[in-house]
Amino acid sequence: MAEATPLDGDYDYIIVGAGSAGCLLANRLSADPAKHVLLLEAGGRDNWIWFHIPVGYLFAIGNPRSDWMLKTEPEAGLGGRSLNYPRGKAIGGSSAINAMIYMRGQAADYDHWRQLGLPGWSWNDVLPYFRKHEDHFLGESEHHAVGGEWRIEHPRVRWDIIDRVREAAAQAGVPPVDDFNCGDNEGSCYFHVNQRRGRRWSSARGFLKPALGRPNLRLETGCLVERLIFNGRAAVGVRFRQNGTARTAACRGEIILAAGAIGSPHILMLSGVGPATDLQALGVPFVLDRPGVGTNLQDHLQLRMIYKVNGVKTLNETYRSLFGRAAMGLNYALFRRGPLTMAPSQLGIFTRSDPHRDRANIQFHIQPLSLDKFGDPLHPFPAFTASVCNLQPTSRGAVRLRSGEPADKPVIKPNYLSTEEDRAVAADSIRVTRRIVAQPALQPYRPQEYLPGTSIADDDQAALVKAAGDIGTTIFHPVTIFHPVGTAKMGRDDDPTAVVDYCLRVIGLERLRVIDASVMPTITSGNTAAPTMMIAEKGAAMILEDAR
């Protein structure tokens, strides 16, 4: 490697990644003026209008200015298709382009982590860390808090078709609830969103920008990390490339990887920490054999079902009208309301794919729109989309190095629908969707199944599984962010597949932690942004406690 120019200054903490976790970590760790914090971000600033208007995800996802443009390898379970895998490319990370949905998951998710031998990670343990940074529109309660940095609001738009879907869900046995975030999210509710008065509230806006005035916090953007620097088993610095120049930064305390479930294992493997055989085959200098690095990849595969309707307004026909678009823009400009404030999904429905499940295991994202694929125009006919995903998948994938070159994008293999259980849940999910849509509340609008289509019968299991693979995409359909987790999982020291311990320290190394979605041993039952910030809040508290 070429000679690198040292970055001036000595740092107590170097945080790699200014995303959902990294922005919160930078805020908390720099609160002590005696500690010097360096935050390295590979993307740029969020100085683009579409990072801030909520509907901007339509323009940010799939745009190389704001998205790292990752792709999966061809997926056997999806008919050999390769999927786009969006990832935020700015301060705020994926919280700058995601669905803005505030969703903690289920108490049972975290109680399961505790049962895996991870003390301090049960629902009762983590609830205070969710509450610590909340500013919730529902007010102070045992479940929520006010006054924190993370703003949560009720959506500022409604649709009659969405209300009727909620009524149909109730008729199908899924009751309405007021809040998904009290430990049991079974039911239907309008999603609570991370916005402030009609503008996106990213982690950069909530946590990072208020702290950037501190003289002990330094943010550097455009920094592609090439590898960590070790002195024996201790992490002592970071080598990165900024605007074409190789640089290094020294750390006298701890280095924290917060680059996400794709970025953090990628950096570990580039640094020689990972499956030894794979690294040696690519000529990567070897530091530590941790076979779990990059494995255990979990995600929420979403099945996208579309229904044509009649006699009720949807976004399809509104958006295709010049007058309709002008009215939407005016409503936003004057009142910060209407479709330009829309999260990609408005209504959530959590239920069970079959009666034998002990808790909700599928989640619906209901949208008053439809299109063939992201980037295409909305359909010319009125329609709604009922996207459904398996909350607790058993399929496991992996992230691997494509080469030893840091700029080469990693190999991403989610292995969707690779287990019989996941295929069964997928088929049942289509049946549940059809049962909801068949309820009386929706019949005045004469719903017609456009995708996957009525030619696929409910009693044809093989055809339903094939249809699931044909219409499946990540949770990012058509405009929602994906949920990769687990690629540097927490585990006991005697678990050969674990990467970090319950304090998020990399097992077998010193002065190095991973604090982001990659540490989840199993995926949470819902959108993963809020759990990632909880992990960062708890991780920061553990770092500060250890530093005393």
Side-chain angles (χ1 to χ4, degrees), residues 129-140:
Y129 296 100
F130 279 114
R131 295 182 75 254
K132 183 175 180 180
H133 52 251
E134 274 192 339
D135 185 21
H136 205 290
F137 77 97
L138 288 177
E140 186 80 26

Side-chain angles (χ1 to χ4, degrees), residues 84-105:
N84 294 329
Y85 222 59
R87 191 75 181 155
K89 190 180 179 183
I91 58 171
S94 292
S95 78
I97 66 172
N98 71 0
M100 298 166 284
I101 291 172
Y102 184 77
M103 182 64 58
R104 293 173 176 172

Side-chain angles (χ1 to χ4, degrees), residues 21-307:
C23 289
L24 190 153
L25 287 162
N27 182 298
R28 298 296 187 252
L29 297 181
S30 65
D32 180 352
K35 300 294 185 182
H36 289 80
V37 180
L38 173 64
L39 178 60
L40 301 175
E41 166 57 36
R45 297 274 184 159
D46 60 346
N47 52 357
W48 186 38
I49 189 172
W50 295 119
F51 285 130
H52 305 293
I53 296 177
V55 81
Y57 52 77
L58 286 168
F59 309 101
I61 293 174
N63 185 327
R65 175 175 182 169
S66 46
D67 181 356
W68 286 106
M69 308 291 288
L70 303 178
K71 295 180 73 71
T72 72
E73 299 300 294
E75 284 285 299
L78 304 184
R81 288 184 297 141
S82 174
L83 300 183
N84 294 329
Y85 222 59
R87 191 75 181 155
K89 190 180 179 183
I91 58 171
S94 292
S95 78
I97 66 172
N98 71 0
M100 298 166 284
I101 291 172
Y102 184 77
M103 182 64 58
R104 293 173 176 172
Q106 299 168 0
D109 298 330
Y110 304 98
D111 291 342
H112 176 61
W113 293 3
R114 177 64 186 88
Q115 291 158 7
L116 292 174
L118 301 172
W121 290 96
S122 72
W123 171 255
N124 288 336
D125 291 321
V126 303
L127 182 57
Y129 296 100
F130 279 114
R131 295 182 75 254
K132 183 175 180 180
H133 52 251
E134 274 192 339
D135 185 21
H136 205 290
F137 77 97
L138 288 177
E140 186 80 26
S141 70
E142 65 174 304
H143 299 294
H144 295 298
V146 296
E149 300 93 342
W150 195 232
R151 181 61 183 166
I152 302 154
E153 296 189 346
H154 194 275
R156 299 166 73 91
V157 63
R158 62 167 297 276
W159 299 84
D160 287 340
I161 185 62
I162 298 296
D163 292 338
R164 300 294 84 76
V165 173
R166 194 179 189 197
E167 290 179 16
Q171 291 168 346
V174 186
V177 297
D178 295 326
D179 186 1
F180 282 138
N181 292 297
C182 299
D184 178 3
N185 55 18
E186 191 159 11
S188 72
C189 183
Y190 274 84
F191 286 120
H192 299 166
V193 293
N194 294 121
Q195 296 180 10
R196 183 180 290 278
R197 294 188 291 274
R199 298 190 72 202
R200 174 187 289 274
W201 198 248
S202 71
S203 63
R205 291 189 68 198
F207 298 101
L208 179 58
K209 291 182 179 181
L212 282 178
R214 298 171 182 168
N216 60 325
L217 173 60
R218 179 173 180 174
L219 168 67
E220 293 288 334
T221 58
C223 300
L224 180 68
V225 171
E226 296 184 328
R227 62 179 175 86
L228 305 176
I229 300 168
F230 291 96
N231 181 4
R233 292 295 176 91
V236 296
V238 179
R239 178 187 170 105
F240 58 98
R241 189 165 293 275
Q242 185 179 34
N243 301 322
T245 301
R247 310 187 78 176
T248 60
C251 184
R252 61 192 174 205
E254 291 195 66
I255 296 173
I256 302 130
L257 294 182
I262 307 301
S264 287
H266 191 222
I267 292 168
L268 283 172
M269 288 184 284
L270 287 171
S271 306
V273 180
T277 303
D278 292 356
L279 300 182
Q280 290 168 345
L282 293 173
V284 176
F286 178 68
V287 174
L288 179 68
D289 182 19
R290 291 307 308 179
V293 173
T295 64
N296 193 47
L297 174 62
Q298 299 159 61
D299 198 357
H300 287 145
L301 177 72
Q302 188 153 291
L303 312 181
R304 181 170 57 99
M305 299 182 69
I306 294 173
Y307 288 88

